[in-house]
Amino acid sequence: MSADIIDGKAFAAALRARIAAQTEVFRAAAGRAPGLAVVLVGDDPASAVYVRNKGKATMAAGMAGFEHRLPVDCVQAELLALIDRLNVDPAVDGILVQMPLPRQIDADAVILAIDPAKDVDGFHPDNVGRLAIGMPGFVPCTPQGCLMLLRDRLGDLSGLDAVVIGRSAIVGKPVAQLLTATNCTVTLAHSRTRDLASIVRRADIVVAAVGQPQMVKGAWIKPGATVIDVGINRTEAGIVGDVDFGGAAAVAAAITPVPGGVGPMTIACLLRNTLIAAHIRIGLHIAEGAL
Ligand code: GUN
């Protein structure tokens, strides 16, 4: 193995420490802590773990966490009514409704109901549109985490060839937009892409977000590339990413591990968005470079 391992866990811990420091500054100025409301519908075990981890990280940063649980068979109107209350609750700066939602609930209607100013997931079309046209807004957490790791590793990304594999609204599309905004030449590949191997082969940056265990092979990677693996796939061999880690690490310059790469960045960026939302809501600014 020759690649450097990008330590997302350490980077996220440092970011959370900076957020905690700025949370204290906010608390002194506002007389209250930034507040994050997390809504969990049903009892999917993986979602319950994510929600618990979000709650712990919120407290550790010195923020106020509000957890709301609804039964798996709750009706959509009940969830929308809760969102309406959170939208107008002055103690709540950020609202996150854990996805996926049970079948009887229309996730699009839920996303549309969240006040865009409290949409710390960056899923509301208002924020999606802002990202698309380069206006300030909330950027989805996992894509933001990928970009932070890339900029930390590579500095200026201008002119680099980036291939994003996966076109989801939550990861692939926003990552492609963020990379475009940082002046990369971006290819957004997906399940219908022809000859993916040769497309990946020319990339200086590879972001894999397909949800298929070890789908990206080491032989596809250009020597010296930086590889960001967003995949979290549960297999019999344990949790693996979308990239064949051993094969890719033999040729890449740097690669994120799974776990311990992009994953920890998601929660850190959620706290970052919550802190930003809290400041904007009361007309305060976070010091330049503080985050
Ligand atoms: N489920 C898995 N990841 C996410 C996320 O980033 N936000 C929400 N709301 N649900 C998720």
Side-chain angles (χ1 to χ4, degrees):
M1 186 172 79
S2 62
D4 293 339
I5 306 301
I6 299 174
D7 190 345
K9 199 171 164 190
F11 191 94
L15 174 57
R16 283 192 279 112
R18 295 195 296 277
I19 291 166
Q22 291 306 309
T23 294
E24 212 31 62
V25 173
F26 177 89
R27 190 204 284 270
R32 67 172 182 88
L36 173 65
V38 175
V39 181
L40 175 61
V41 183
D43 42 22
D44 173 65
S47 291
V49 170
Y50 289 138
V51 166
R52 194 168 340 117
N53 289 340
K54 282 167 192 161
K56 278 191 213 157
T58 306
M59 301 300 167
M63 295 185 188
F66 309 99
E67 197 176 306
H68 295 268
R69 287 174 178 255
L70 293 176
V72 67
D73 58 354
C74 87
V75 294
Q76 183 167 313
E78 201 179 337
L79 176 55
L80 294 179
L82 171 60
I83 292 171
D84 282 346
R85 289 200 297 279
L86 297 173
N87 280 341
V88 296
D89 185 338
V92 172
D93 299 292
I95 301 169
L96 179 144
V97 179
Q98 183 68 29
M99 304 288 173
L101 289 164
R103 267 195 308 276
Q104 76 276 15
I105 293 176
D106 174 3
D108 290 347
V110 171
I111 290 168
L112 278 170
I114 296 171
D115 179 350
K118 297 189 177 188
D119 171 37
V120 286
D121 256 332
F123 292 172
H124 191 287
D126 190 288
N127 286 313
V128 175
R130 284 170 173 268
L131 178 59
I133 59 175
M135 269 190 193
F138 290 111
V139 175
C141 302
T142 302
Q144 180 72 51
C146 293
L147 257 287
M148 287 179 123
L149 293 178
L150 282 168
R151 296 191 87 141
D152 180 61
R153 170 79 202 178
L154 297 170
D156 184 8
L157 306 183
S158 282
L160 296 179
D161 280 315
V163 171
V164 180
I165 313 168
R167 56 179 154 178
S168 72
I170 293 181
V171 184
K173 278 184 200 158
V175 167
Q177 285 171 330
L178 288 168
L179 288 167
T180 304
T182 54
N183 302 312
C184 288
T185 303
V186 180
T187 303
L188 181 49
H190 48 74
S191 54
R192 304 291 173 89
T193 295
R194 279 181 269 167
D195 197 3
L196 182 59
S198 69
I199 287 172
V200 171
R201 186 77 191 167
R202 60 171 197 248
D204 304 304
I205 294 170
V206 180
V207 180
V210 274
Q212 298 213 21
Q214 298 164 325
M215 182 253 220
V216 177
K217 306 301 175 201
W220 301 1
I221 304 293
K222 172 164 134 180
T226 302
V227 179
I228 303 291
D229 189 349
V230 185
I232 300 177
N233 305 290
R234 277 161 238 277
T235 70
E236 280 173 12
I239 292 181
V240 300
D242 291 346
V243 179
D244 164 24
F245 182 84
V251 284
I255 184 167
T256 58
V258 177
V262 175
M265 293 299 293
T266 299
I267 289 184
C269 289
L270 175 66
L271 299 176
R272 181 177 180 273
N273 277 351
T274 303
L275 184 65
I276 292 168
H279 280 78
I280 292 172
R281 281 187 62 235
I282 64 168
L284 289 176
H285 294 278
I286 301 174
E288 193 75 37
L291 293 182

